[in-house]
Amino acid sequence: FGYKRGAFTDARSDRSGLFVAADQGTLFLAEIGDLSPTLQAKLLRVLQEREVERVGGRKPVPVDIRVLATSNRDMASEAKAGRFREDLYYRLNVFPLHNLPLRERRGDIVPLAKRILARGITGGHTAYTLAPEAQASLTTYDWPGNIRELENVMQRAMILTTGTVIEPRQLA
């Protein structure tokens, strides 16, 4: 939300905040379901009023932003259960997108793993490949941590392999 110089002990200069920085653009809010009730109320106010008040400020700053919010929770259920503000849910739920977990799109796992391996190549290292058995192992696992877990597993495999072919034992 930003703050004004002198608003608190370490506020040595004005700071505009992310809403003002995203003015005329898009603000990405990850894991919106983890917001405290206090922050939910503040976010709702910004979205409704299209203005933000900096800590220590006296006048609101207008903002024109588009918000892209993500969550790993079923936000409709969270709102119905009272764990997320229903009015904020409806304010954010303009164009919902549902991304299936990796376990429901197994055909994407190996291409994603190969992409992660390709990104991990630095400074003259030879490209890594996945043994067919490793590919089969990747596609049979349910990936409860989704892409983050897949990235970690592939990074660990690159560290553990002594060659360029990643075998199932390096995925464990």
Side-chain angles (χ1 to χ4, degrees):
F1 298 99
Y3 52 81
K4 297 295 279 180
R5 181 176 179 253
F8 51 89
T9 305
D10 288 334
R12 295 188 177 103
S13 63
D14 289 355
R15 182 168 177 186
S16 61
L18 296 177
F19 287 96
V20 173
D23 191 36
Q24 302 296 309
T26 302
L27 180 63
F28 176 70
L29 301 174
E31 296 305 333
I32 196 83
D34 293 340
L35 284 181
S36 70
T38 302
L39 280 177
Q40 289 178 37
K42 289 180 180 183
L43 175 59
L44 178 62
R45 185 187 170 288
V46 170
L47 296 176
Q48 285 177 319
E49 304 299 324
R50 298 192 148 298
E51 60 187 25
V52 65
E53 285 188 37
R54 297 178 190 165
V55 174
R58 290 200 169 92
K59 65 178 193 176
V61 178
V63 290
D64 179 16
I65 59 169
R66 176 178 37 246
V67 173
L68 178 61
T70 65
S71 180
N72 62 0
R73 300 177 188 179
D74 177 351
M75 294 309 296
S77 297
E78 293 292 304
K80 284 181 184 168
R83 292 184 293 269
F84 192 81
R85 288 185 67 120
E86 199 168 24
D87 48 357
L88 178 57
Y89 167 73
Y90 288 115
R91 176 70 63 178
L92 292 169
N93 196 35
V94 174
F95 194 86
L97 300 171
H98 180 71
N99 195 8
L100 296 173
L102 284 178
R103 69 182 165 274
E104 292 181 31
R105 47 191 181 105
R106 296 193 185 275
D108 292 345
I109 295 171
V110 171
L112 285 168
K114 288 179 179 180
R115 175 73 177 124
I116 294 165
L117 291 175
R119 273 195 340 231
I121 300 169
T122 59
H125 284 94
T126 307
Y128 294 100
T129 58
L130 287 166
E133 300 83 8
Q135 291 182 34
S137 178
L138 290 172
T139 58
T140 58
Y141 183 66
D142 276 344
W143 300 104
N146 283 306
I147 190 70
R148 289 181 185 105
E149 184 180 10
L150 179 61
E151 286 176 332
N152 289 341
V153 167
M154 299 317 300
Q155 287 175 7
R156 184 171 50 246
M158 287 186 279
I159 292 168
L160 292 174
T161 190
T162 56
T164 60
V165 179
I166 294 176
E167 302 287 342
R169 69 180 175 275
Q170 282 111 16
L171 300 175

